[in-house]
Amino acid sequence: MANFKELLVWQKSIDFVTEIYRITDTFPKDETFGLRSQVRRASVSIPSNIAEGNSRRSKPDYLQFLKISRGSCAEVETQLIISKNLKFLKEEEYLKLNNDIIEISKMLNGLINSLK
C-alpha cells in the first residue's frame, strides 16, 4: 500500500478541505456552529479517514475507513445543496465544489474496488 500522502485522492481531498474552509468563511456568523461547522467537519473527515485507514496496514480496516470517507462525501454533497438553497453559496461556487466532491467520490470508489 502506498503512503497516504502519495494518493491522488488524498491530495485532492486536502485541496477540497482548504477550499471549503475558504468559502465557508463567508457564511453568516450565526452559522458558525451550524451548517458551516458541519460541512467543515464532514470535509475534514474525508482525507482523515483515508490517512487513518491507510496507516492501519490491514486491508479490511483500510476498506472500512475508505467507505467512511465515501460516506462523508455524500454528507458534504448534501450540505452543499442545503448551503446553495439557503443562498450561502454562489451558484458557481456550488458547481465547482459539487464537481470536486463527485470526483473525489469516484476516486474513492475506484480505490475501494481496486482493493477488493
Side-chain angles (χ1 to χ4, degrees):
M1 284 185 266
N3 180 293
F4 67 87
K5 292 179 194 169
E6 297 170 8
L7 295 169
L8 189 56
V9 68
W10 181 84
Q11 294 168 8
K12 284 190 176 287
S13 61
I14 288 290
D15 292 341
F16 181 78
V17 172
T18 304
E19 189 66 8
I20 285 288
Y21 267 76
R22 187 187 67 71
I23 288 177
T24 57
D25 243 4
T26 66
F27 279 25
K29 291 301 169 207
D30 63 344
E31 281 299 323
T32 299
F33 301 107
L35 196 53
R36 177 182 179 186
S37 175
Q38 279 291 115
V39 72
R40 284 178 171 191
R41 284 184 289 141
S43 66
V44 166
S45 174
I46 298 165
S48 299
N49 279 298
I50 294 168
E52 185 172 354
N54 179 272
S55 298
R56 297 282 176 118
R57 297 291 181 208
S58 151
K59 191 190 283 188
D61 285 349
Y62 193 17
L63 283 167
Q64 183 60 31
F65 278 92
L66 291 174
K67 290 174 184 176
I68 292 167
S69 188
R70 185 176 58 189
S72 294
C73 287
E75 190 177 347
V76 168
E77 197 171 349
T78 299
Q79 293 161 353
L80 291 175
I81 292 167
I82 295 166
S83 297
K84 178 187 68 125
N85 290 349
L86 293 171
K87 309 277 191 253
F88 297 166
L89 288 175
K90 297 174 188 155
E91 184 69 21
E92 59 273 6
E93 291 172 328
Y94 166 76
L95 291 173
K96 180 180 183 334
L97 291 171
N98 192 59
N99 286 337
D100 290 347
I101 199 64
I102 289 170
E103 181 182 8
I104 291 167
S105 291
K106 287 178 181 177
M107 293 174 79
L108 283 167
N109 282 334
L111 183 55
I112 289 166
N113 289 334
S114 75
L115 291 170
K116 286 184 179 177

